[in-house]
């Protein structure tokens, strides 16, 4: 899949983030793995996301959801409206200098591939969500939730998802290590036996007569 994203789609600077150990899991789901890639332009971003979703459906029979994706028809319609507005403003000697969102430059498409059941994490903690005290977003899952983040270069620098998720993983790792150290340092509590006086009092207590 990474080869397809890099070679066939042409996304640059691919990063793979393994977030399967974060507990409680993030809002995107448990056992999360994330791929981040940079598109060369806004058009390249949407074309790549659309082709990637089509490839997942046709080749792997998945049902991905692309948040922020503009289809070819929708993008063409919005560009036509934008060009028409620009021509109208030029005809009266004005120009559009507003910074409002035109609905075209999203800069970011999040492709959620869903849960890949065959890619379950293979270690002793793979069943850590089977307990009744499961806490977190989403449901329990033994598979891997795959998400591909496609961004333009400007949007990727602005969001800096690698640092954001790296800090989240670092906080969980430090918390887990603190809990482990506290468990190792806690002295074992010996079983308390009743004193001889308490035993004698218990023995001398008369039993009720039926």
């Amino acid at each position: 899949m990474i080869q397809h994203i890099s070679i066939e789609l042409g996304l640059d600077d691919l990063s793979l983030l393994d977030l399967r150990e974060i507990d409680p899991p993030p809002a995107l789901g448990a056992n999360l793995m994330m791929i981040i890639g940079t598109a060369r332009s806004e058009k390249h971003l949407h074309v790549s996301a659309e082709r990637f979703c089509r490839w997942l459906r046709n080749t792997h029979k998945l049902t991905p959801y692309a948040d922020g994706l503009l289809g070819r028809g929708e993008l063409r319609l919005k560009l036509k409206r934008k060009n028409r507005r620009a021509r109208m403003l030029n005809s009266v000697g004005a120009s559009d200098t507003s910074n409002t969102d035109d609905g075209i430059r999203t800069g970011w498409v999040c492709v959620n591939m869903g849960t890949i059941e065959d890619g379950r994490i293979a270690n002793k903690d793979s069943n850590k969500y089977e307990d009744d005290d499961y806490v977190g977003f989403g449901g329990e899952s033994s598979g891997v939730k795959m998400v591909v983040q496609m961004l333009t270069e400007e949007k990727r620098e602005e969001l800096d998802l690698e640092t954001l998720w790296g800090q989240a993983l670092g906080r969980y790792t430090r918390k887990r290590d603190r809990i482990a150290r506290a468990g190792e340092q806690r002295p074992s509590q010996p079983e308390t036996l009743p004193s001889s006086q308490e035993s004698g009092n218990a023995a001398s207590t008369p039993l009720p007569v039926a």
Side-chain angles (χ1 to χ4, degrees):
M1 182 178 63
I2 294 180
Q3 183 178 4
H4 179 83
I5 294 173
S6 176
I7 298 176
E8 301 297 331
L9 302 181
L11 295 184
D12 301 323
D13 300 328
L14 296 182
S15 296
L16 177 62
L17 303 181
D18 189 347
L19 307 173
R20 290 177 290 178
E21 291 189 355
I22 293 183
D23 185 21
L28 288 172
N31 288 344
L32 177 65
M33 294 191 71
M34 183 181 298
I35 299 175
I36 303 176
T38 302
R40 294 188 296 269
S41 64
E42 190 74 30
K43 181 179 180 180
H44 180 222
L45 171 69
H46 293 285
V47 171
S48 298
E50 185 178 14
R51 289 179 177 175
F52 183 59
C53 291
R54 190 186 310 121
W55 179 74
L56 292 173
R57 288 191 294 267
N58 296 337
T59 305
H60 299 284
K61 310 304 178 183
L62 298 176
T63 55
Y65 174 75
D67 191 12
L69 172 63
L70 296 178
R72 285 177 292 181
E74 183 180 5
L75 182 60
R76 188 182 302 112
L77 178 60
K78 289 189 175 184
L79 287 173
K80 185 182 296 184
R81 290 176 178 174
K82 182 179 180 180
N83 293 334
R84 185 185 303 119
R85 175 181 173 83
R87 287 195 301 268
M88 291 176 60
L89 291 174
N90 290 334
S91 64
V92 296
S95 60
D96 188 3
T97 59
S98 62
N99 293 325
T100 57
D101 185 10
D102 55 10
I104 299 176
R105 297 185 297 271
T106 61
W108 182 15
V109 176
C110 176
V111 180
N112 192 332
M113 298 169 52
T115 301
I116 312 299
E117 292 297 338
D118 292 338
R120 65 178 59 191
I121 182 171
N123 60 29
K124 63 181 180 180
D125 296 327
S126 59
N127 297 321
K128 64 181 179 180
Y129 297 119
E130 291 183 355
D131 299 332
D132 295 334
D133 58 350
Y134 169 80
V135 178
F137 295 99
E140 300 183 39
S141 175
S142 59
V144 174
K145 175 66 70 71
M146 291 296 304
V147 173
V148 180
Q149 306 280 11
M150 302 182 180
L151 308 98
T152 60
E153 185 175 359
E154 296 81 6
K155 198 69 173 181
R156 186 170 182 175
E157 292 178 357
E158 175 188 347
L159 297 177
D160 196 8
L161 295 178
E162 288 93 340
T163 300
L164 177 66
W165 286 108
Q167 291 174 350
L169 184 59
R171 286 194 298 268
Y172 165 73
T173 303
R174 291 190 296 270
K175 179 181 177 181
R176 181 192 59 190
D177 294 343
R178 285 197 302 269
I179 294 175
R181 288 194 298 268
E184 294 174 356
Q185 296 173 358
R186 185 180 303 164
S188 58
Q189 297 293 337
E191 183 179 356
T192 303
L193 299 176
S195 62
S196 57
Q197 182 178 1
E198 293 175 352
S199 300
N201 292 338
S204 61
T205 302
L207 297 176
V209 179

